[in-house]
Amino acid sequence: MAVTTPTTPSRTGNGMGLRFSGAWLPALVAIVTYLTLPFGRPGRPFLTIEPDLYALELGAPLLWIVLLGAVASFVLSLLRLNTAVRGDALIATGTVGLGAGVLWFILSATPFGIGALLTLAALALVLGHALSESGRIQGDAFIATSILVVSLFVILFIIYPLFTVLRAAVIIDGSFDLSQLRRTLTHPLFFFLDNPRSQIDEIGLTLRWGMVVAVLTGAWAVFRRRSVPIVALRLVLGGIAGLIIGVLLYGRGALPTSLLTVAIVAPTCTLLGLAFALLGQRARFKPIRRSLDVISVLPIITPPFILAFAMIFLLGRRGIVTHGLFDMSSNWIYGIPGVAIAQILAFTPIAYLLLRGSISSLNPALEEAAQTLGAGPWTTMRTITWPLVRPGLAAAFLLSMIESLADFGNPIILGGDRNYLATEVYLSLTGRFNPNEAAAYGVVLLALVLGAFFIQRLWLGGGSFVTVTGKPSSGALAPIPRVLEIALTLVLFVWTVFVAALYVSIVVGSFAQLWGVNYTFTTRHYEDFMRAGWPVFLYTARVAAISAVPAMLLGFLVAYLVSRHRFFGRRFVEFGSLLSFATPGTVMGVAYIFAFNTGPWLLTASATIIILALVFRNMPVAIRAAVAGLAQIDPSLEEASTMLRARSLTTLRRVLFPLLVNTLVTGLIFAFVSAMTAVSQVIFLVSPGNQLATVLLLGWVEQGQLGRAAAMGTILIVSMLFTILVVLGLAQRISARVVRVEG
Amino acid sequence: MKRLTLVLVAAAALFLSHAQAQRVNLLCSPDLAWCEALGPAFTEATGIPLEFIRVSSQDALARIRAESANPVFDVWFGGTGDPHLIAMRDGVAEMYIPSTWDDIIPELKSVINEEYIPLYAGAIGFVINEEALGDLPLPRSWRDLTDPMYRGLIAMPDPTSSGTAYTTLATLLQVFGEEDGWELVEGIHMNVAQYTSSGSAPGQLAGRGEVAIAIQFMHDGVKFAAQGFPLTVFAPEEGVGYEIGGISLIANAPNRDAAIEFIEWALTPEAQAIAGDLGDSYQIQSNMNTVQHPLAPNFDEINLIEYDFDRWGDPAVRDQVLTRWLNDVFAIPR
């Protein structure tokens, strides 16, 4: 490594005379913070300055190495050496300093103090400079540091907490023990098929399903005149599929219940999403698109639990529709039907948003070309349209599947006598005092979600999860056939009426004396809300706002690095952000409790841990927005800027930011709104003085304070809708102006 | 890069949380209205600020255990007795004898072997919506509930997640003996429309007519009736079990002095009167000098069983009962 790599941005080659490394400043900061600020802290408070917590007082040999690393880095960065050699040396000193510090915390399990935080962060910056100057990472110091910081965050706040869950599932009281995992997996709450007390023979019925489906698929293969091995294969696959259907239908317990619900919800959401996307993009009647835009934001602005209750009042045993209109008295809504309906209502708009991208990026010219070449409509559909829509459909399916598996609010209200995986995580931790069992359920959920991801990857043949987005193409789109349009419009109409009825009933409920019993007008629920809920609401808004900024910045950074740079660990960063997005909220919440309650990362019972949980939960939203935005910008703009010697931070600031204002603000708003309505990931993290609106809402719902809950729901919905409309409107204006000025 | 360093320093500042002065961090398990009324009254009486979080008693125990290395909370107020007992035996809560100890109703102290501080008592009962029952007769006894005519009309909490439901199971097993008791539990199971995760939810379902009969604590039923739900509350004739809610000092509480002051205050007649007056809570309060609220179910008129808290509060017994319920009862399709 004696030769300076040409890609390093060091200026030794062009005689600009910058003889020392940029690492001198962070190294100096590391030394100063090491000497002046406490390294540990006594408990939760960060700002207590106690002399015996200073690194020098602690006197551990490892801490001397930290100081040594920092001083060595500082001296080295001022030496006139070959840039690459100096970079390598700085990598060594930085790593030694950082590693010693981290090791000390792991070994001593002392909560880290403000000094440690700053010192180690500064050493990470030294390392970033060093990696860039040595040419080990292709990019300038900013890129190198960003990669380092993002990877560190992914390890600390995503991988490490999940690892603790995994550990809690198999390590009980300090020793490796699979009994808890086994007990959970063989427990009737998790899964059982044969029920000796039932009149029906579950195993026999399941086997019959296996046989029937096997025979059907085999017969179909014979009919299509396939070769013998293929017929045999179809028989086996059909048999397996049939058995799975049987198990889902006759099995009881959380696993078959969750999976059966997914099997209903995910295809329905995908199909409805596709229908709405077709309608939105290709309908002749324009107002439809407007109403779809409103529908698509509803789920994220709707707080949990409330919609499920509105459903009970419309469709329950005494429901306005079921009992009032049709004089039914049945509990059908409790269980899989109710949960499935609630989830379809909530997740179809998400599928729609994804599919809107891929439908709008369909280039009609391709379909026309196929037809000109003599392909029939079905052949065109199969060979052109389907492969193009397939990634979008797969993404929509996967997303609705994950959301359905992770959903916690609907099953807990509407689950009836069926139990769900996501609620079992919560109930085993809070109801049965068994964190190990909660962890075991978490592992199952995680395995299901990741399994689905890898199947999707296999099916789509690679392709980045992050970059699955659509780029709208210009050009006239062929309208859909009139019959189809009328049918789809009808579906949309029924949907809209139903959703509108639900939201109206929430508002009505918030003004009724006793929702469901006594509909005399009152404002007392709003008075109660102002007294008991308003401070919490404001606090939640503050926390959500604080979390939205780093979520957006980090999301943008990840999107920029992943889509514009090739670097070692890129897949890892991608995988990490995938994990944070795919992990069900309750599992992540449990993980944060396990990970951040003791040792160096003592963060429980603070606003910090809530903010961190929200940042890493909502980061993927921002990543998606930023990737979509970046995809619209030609990389040649940045190349031009780089060629004019702008550093990447400058390019980011002067070129990309102005072009992406709109996207970034959208990402910011959605991160904020999602943080406001999040529940499952923060339910375990609230503490006195750090109460959140949605968790309070769950408390009210459990206590039967439905009027108050409806009042808070109404206020949340209205204020979030207002935020989205006003802020996004403003952002569009600003971005239009920026583009005019800069352009 | 200098600017980036500054940004990082600023970001680190985000991590800072404020140092806290002496105050009471309360883990509050009874009705929300009661929890809300406590803070202002306590602060007025002592000048010490109070922050609370309302969580069910099961959830509370889970949190106290999870945080035992670095407790956040100082006092655990209310909630079923069993988890208080477990917390004491686990050492995550510590026994503190308040100065009002001698004023606490002696029976309440003796049945739990003085292992935790009794705060209130409440009995299990039926909470019935007669409108939703239609032409069917009112069930008077536990045995009535097994009649097939009540099929799909009963709600009770899920014993695996609710202390209320566990108390119900333990009651049935104590009233009817193991064998008949389980048979009865099975018979009731056939009529249950829904097991709820929260102990007080069945009464709401009954109040809104989603079911007709709820099995839960009578004082919760009285509360819903007072809120305007069309509900009647009574105890079945064979006898009912009861809970003795507790108040516990968390071991290694961060604000121990304030915590003790709170416990002292909470057991005074004035503080206990808050439950019924402001807190929508109608349990029998543990201090014998407290004027009981007129709506509170009168224990003299209820056939209370001799509930064996030592045996049925034992985690091993509890585990055994719940496992049997899950495997042999819950699994039966309805």
Side-chain angles (χ1 to χ4, degrees):
Chain A
M1 286 300 288
V3 187
T4 313
T5 329
T7 45
T8 56
S10 76
R11 301 181 189 178
T12 42
N14 53 40
M16 292 277 285
L18 185 78
R19 288 289 170 213
F20 35 78
S21 161
W24 73 270
L25 180 64
L28 187 63
V29 170
I31 298 169
V32 171
T33 51
Y34 182 94
L35 293 174
T36 54
L37 290 169
F39 220 65
R41 67 195 144 105
R44 286 197 169 75
F46 266 94
L47 281 180
T48 332
I49 308 275
E50 282 181 28
D52 55 336
L53 286 170
Y54 278 81
L56 293 177
E57 290 294 321
L58 291 164
L62 274 172
L63 291 182
W64 283 108
I65 300 180
V66 177
L67 183 61
L68 215 63
V71 172
S73 305
F74 180 65
V75 174
L76 263 175
S77 53
L78 297 180
L79 288 181
R80 298 192 173 205
L81 286 175
N82 176 300
T83 322
V85 174
R86 188 171 57 198
D88 280 343
L90 279 172
I91 291 179
T93 53
T95 312
V96 165
L98 193 61
V102 171
L103 196 63
W104 181 76
F105 277 113
I106 291 174
L107 291 179
S108 72
T110 312
F112 67 87
I114 179 77
L117 198 68
L118 292 177
T119 307
L120 297 183
L123 281 173
L125 276 181
V126 168
L127 209 54
H129 277 273
L131 281 169
S132 156
E133 285 167 17
S134 71
R136 304 232 170 237
I137 286 185
Q138 303 212 338
D140 56 21
F142 170 75
I143 298 295
T145 311
S146 306
I147 291 172
L148 201 65
V149 166
V150 166
S151 313
L152 274 179
F153 277 172
V154 166
I155 292 174
L156 260 178
F157 296 112
I158 298 167
I159 309 273
Y160 167 63
L162 288 178
F163 167 75
T164 59
V165 170
L166 197 64
R167 193 178 55 187
V170 294
I171 295 193
I172 291 146
D173 295 331
S175 59
F176 184 75
D177 185 354
L178 283 178
S179 64
Q180 179 61 53
L181 202 58
R182 197 167 48 231
R183 197 161 352 128
T184 308
L185 298 187
T186 53
H187 201 279
L189 271 183
F190 180 72
F191 173 67
F192 72 95
L193 183 60
D194 181 35
N195 187 340
R197 291 162 184 273
S198 64
Q199 277 87 40
I200 52 170
D201 170 22
E202 287 89 358
I203 295 185
L205 282 167
T206 305
L207 289 177
R208 206 171 303 163
W209 264 98
M211 254 145 55
V212 169
V213 178
V215 168
L216 282 179
T217 49
W220 179 247
V222 171
F223 175 72
R224 295 287 302 270
R225 292 166 194 259
R226 303 290 185 196
S227 63
V228 177
I230 291 190
V231 171
L233 184 71
R234 293 283 160 87
L235 265 173
V236 173
L237 288 180
I240 294 174
L243 287 179
I244 293 176
I245 295 174
V247 165
L248 289 187
L249 287 180
Y250 302 111
R252 282 295 178 116
L255 183 71
T257 305
S258 277
L259 289 183
L260 183 57
T261 309
V262 165
I264 297 169
V265 170
T268 315
C269 285
T270 314
L271 277 181
L272 281 173
L274 182 65
F276 291 169
L278 276 174
L279 209 54
Q281 292 302 320
R282 300 194 173 179
R284 295 171 186 83
F285 188 53
K286 291 302 168 204
I288 282 179
R289 203 177 291 193
R290 271 287 155 72
S291 70
L292 277 169
D293 284 343
V294 175
I295 286 175
S296 66
V297 299
L298 280 182
I300 48 164
I301 61 167
T302 308
F305 317 117
I306 294 288
L307 214 54
F309 264 103
M311 266 181 61
I312 293 181
F313 291 119
L314 284 189
L315 301 176
R317 195 181 177 87
R318 289 285 155 129
I320 296 169
V321 175
T322 39
H323 187 69
L325 248 56
F326 297 105
D327 203 30
M328 282 162 56
S329 279
S330 110
N331 292 331
W332 69 276
I333 196 176
Y334 298 102
I336 293 178
V339 175
I341 293 177
Q343 292 189 343
I344 289 169
L345 285 179
F347 308 143
T348 297
I350 301 174
Y352 159 73
L353 280 179
L354 264 175
L355 284 163
R356 189 175 66 176
S358 56
I359 291 289
S360 65
S361 62
L362 274 184
N363 193 341
L366 289 174
E367 290 174 18
E368 273 169 33
Q371 271 161 6
T372 322
L373 291 171
W378 283 107
T379 319
T380 314
M381 180 82 186
R382 195 163 48 83
T383 56
I384 305 290
T385 319
W386 174 245
L388 286 173
V389 188
R390 203 172 67 157
L393 281 178
F397 187 88
L398 194 64
L399 202 62
S400 358
M401 183 186 150
I402 292 170
E403 295 279 357
S404 166
L405 273 178
D407 181 28
F408 162 80
N410 292 315
I412 212 157
I413 306 287
L414 292 170
D417 60 340
R418 302 297 293 251
N419 54 329
Y420 283 75
L421 288 172
T423 46
E424 277 318 306
V425 174
Y426 174 74
L427 291 178
S428 52
L429 195 68
T430 63
R432 302 192 280 276
F433 332 126
N434 194 339
N436 303 110
E437 189 190 345
Y441 275 109
V443 169
V444 171
L445 268 174
L446 209 55
L448 284 176
V449 168
L450 290 182
F453 255 109
F454 289 116
I455 290 174
Q456 186 216 24
R457 279 227 158 167
L458 282 180
W459 191 47
L460 291 181
S464 156
F465 131 78
V466 177
T467 48
V468 176
T469 59
K471 199 200 292 190
S473 69
S474 51
L477 293 165
I480 47 178
R482 197 168 286 275
V483 183
L484 189 61
E485 182 177 340
I486 291 171
L488 293 181
T489 311
L490 211 64
V491 172
L492 180 66
F493 178 75
V494 172
W495 173 280
T496 312
V497 167
F498 185 50
V499 169
L502 286 175
Y503 281 90
V504 166
S505 81
I506 294 172
V507 178
V508 169
S510 73
F511 284 109
Q513 270 296 342
L514 207 57
W515 195 4
V517 175
N518 178 354
Y519 284 103
T520 320
F521 177 84
T522 176
T523 55
R524 95 187 149 97
H525 301 308
Y526 284 91
E527 287 154 24
D528 283 348
F529 167 78
M530 288 310 289
R531 182 174 50 77
W534 184 242
V536 175
F537 182 82
L538 286 184
Y539 179 81
T540 311
R542 214 171 76 206
V543 167
I546 293 175
S547 82
V549 176
M552 189 272 283
L553 285 177
L554 212 56
F556 177 68
L557 201 59
V558 170
Y560 170 71
L561 290 176
V562 169
S563 59
R564 289 292 205 259
H565 291 270
R566 300 271 169 269
F567 56 91
F568 175 76
R570 178 168 166 270
R571 290 232 153 223
F572 172 76
V573 169
E574 246 189 297
F575 178 72
S577 53
L578 176 153
L579 265 183
S580 79
F581 150 81
T583 309
T586 26
V587 179
M588 217 29 149
V590 172
Y592 269 52
I593 286 262
F594 285 144
F596 302 126
N597 192 42
T598 49
W601 287 101
L602 174 57
L603 288 173
T604 46
S606 63
T608 316
I609 192 169
I610 297 175
I611 293 171
L612 283 172
L614 291 173
V615 165
F616 287 93
R617 185 68 190 170
N618 296 324
M619 186 181 76
V621 180
I623 295 181
R624 277 185 175 278
V627 166
L630 280 168
Q632 319 255 1
I633 295 173
D634 198 323
S636 57
L637 282 175
E638 294 146 71
E639 280 159 20
S641 164
T642 312
M643 272 193 262
L644 292 171
R645 290 268 177 80
R647 283 167 303 166
S648 49
L649 187 56
T650 317
T651 308
L652 219 55
R653 208 159 42 88
R654 303 284 299 269
V655 179
L656 286 180
F657 254 70
L659 287 171
L660 286 173
V661 170
N662 214 345
T663 316
L664 291 175
V665 173
T666 313
L668 192 70
I669 294 305
F670 281 88
F672 169 71
V673 173
S674 319
M676 283 296 285
T677 55
V679 70
S680 51
Q681 53 270 41
V682 291
I683 194 155
F684 301 116
L685 303 177
V686 296
S687 52
N690 299 311
Q691 177 69 287
L692 295 177
T694 46
V695 183
L696 190 65
L697 197 63
L698 176 63
W700 289 354
V701 162
E702 274 183 348
Q703 293 271 305
Q705 307 272 14
L706 288 188
R708 249 196 231 187
M712 168 126 74
T714 308
I715 286 177
L716 265 169
I717 292 170
V718 170
S719 57
M720 291 303 105
L721 202 59
F722 180 78
T723 313
I724 289 182
L725 293 180
V726 169
V727 178
L728 286 190
L730 276 179
Q732 255 146 21
R733 270 196 204 165
I734 291 169
S735 86
R737 193 177 310 152
V738 168
V739 169
R740 251 202 327 275
V741 171
E742 301 262 332
Chain B
M1 282 313 283
K2 284 180 196 169
R3 214 168 292 163
L4 190 72
T5 314
L6 287 179
V7 169
L8 271 184
V9 170
L14 261 182
F15 279 85
L16 303 183
S17 42
H18 302 289
Q20 290 164 358
Q22 187 83 339
R23 69 163 190 209
V24 178
N25 286 337
L26 192 67
L27 207 47
C28 194
S29 294
D31 193 89
L32 187 70
W34 192 2
C35 298
E36 281 173 359
L38 283 173
F42 174 66
T43 310
E44 194 183 318
T46 61
I48 301 172
L50 180 146
E51 292 272 3
F52 78 90
I53 285 218
R54 201 237 152 241
V55 280
S56 72
S57 53
Q58 320 282 343
D59 196 353
L61 178 59
R63 283 201 69 153
I64 294 171
R65 279 183 167 168
E67 294 165 352
S68 59
N70 287 292
V72 172
F73 294 96
D74 304 302
V75 181
W76 176 14
F77 181 88
T80 333
D82 295 344
H84 277 275
L85 193 70
I86 297 171
M88 285 294 174
R89 290 184 180 171
D90 279 6
V92 293
E94 85 183 76
M95 188 61 189
Y96 166 78
I97 303 291
S99 56
T100 41
W101 187 245
D102 292 336
D103 297 336
I104 291 176
I105 302 174
E107 290 88 342
L108 294 186
K109 286 186 287 191
S110 62
V111 290
I112 57 165
N113 286 324
E114 310 196 347
E115 280 194 79
Y116 62 93
I117 312 172
L119 183 68
Y120 57 76
I124 296 280
F126 293 173
V127 179
I128 293 179
N129 183 336
E130 294 186 53
E131 235 172 89
L133 209 51
D135 304 331
L136 298 175
L138 216 58
R140 288 282 171 199
S141 65
W142 288 111
R143 213 167 275 289
D144 284 352
L145 290 188
T146 61
D147 194 314
M149 67 182 170
Y150 296 120
R151 192 171 187 124
L153 291 179
I154 301 177
M156 68 176 276
D158 178 351
T160 60
S161 68
S162 151
T164 310
Y166 176 73
T167 310
T168 309
L169 285 190
T171 299
L172 287 171
L173 296 178
Q174 287 174 80
V175 172
F176 297 94
E178 292 268 334
E179 200 164 311
D180 287 358
W182 278 113
E183 206 172 293
L184 210 69
V185 171
E186 222 172 87
I188 294 175
H189 166 80
M190 296 312 294
N191 289 340
V192 167
Q194 218 192 128
Y195 290 102
T196 63
S197 58
S198 144
S200 68
Q204 302 167 40
L205 286 175
R208 293 195 303 266
E210 293 291 310
V211 295
I213 305 160
I215 306 173
Q216 67 176 135
F217 282 120
M218 292 168 73
H219 52 255
D220 281 334
V222 169
K223 171 184 76 187
F224 291 133
Q227 283 175 4
F229 287 107
L231 293 169
T232 338
V233 181
F234 60 87
E237 50 199 31
E238 295 103 328
V240 292
Y242 55 102
E243 64 162 350
I244 297 178
I247 176 169
S248 297
L249 175 64
I250 311 286
N252 304 318
N255 306 295
R256 197 184 148 85
D257 297 342
I260 286 172
E261 201 158 336
F262 176 78
I263 293 177
E264 288 289 348
W265 172 81
L267 291 165
T268 58
E270 298 75 42
Q272 292 204 328
I274 292 174
D277 293 345
L278 299 169
D280 292 349
S281 300
Y282 307 105
Q283 293 94 332
I284 301 291
Q285 298 297 318
S286 65
N287 191 320
M288 53 184 141
N289 301 324
T290 306
V291 182
Q292 304 294 349
H293 195 276
L295 283 178
N298 190 345
F299 271 26
D300 297 335
E301 296 164 7
I302 297 170
N303 178 9
L304 284 184
I305 65 165
E306 278 184 34
Y307 196 100
D308 185 348
F309 286 96
D310 192 43
R311 171 166 156 67
W312 298 96
D314 180 2
V317 175
R318 182 192 166 91
D319 208 39
Q320 214 180 320
V321 170
L322 292 184
T323 310
R324 172 146 187 205
W325 181 80
L326 267 175
N327 295 342
D328 296 354
V329 179
F330 188 61
I332 308 174
R334 290 163 274 160

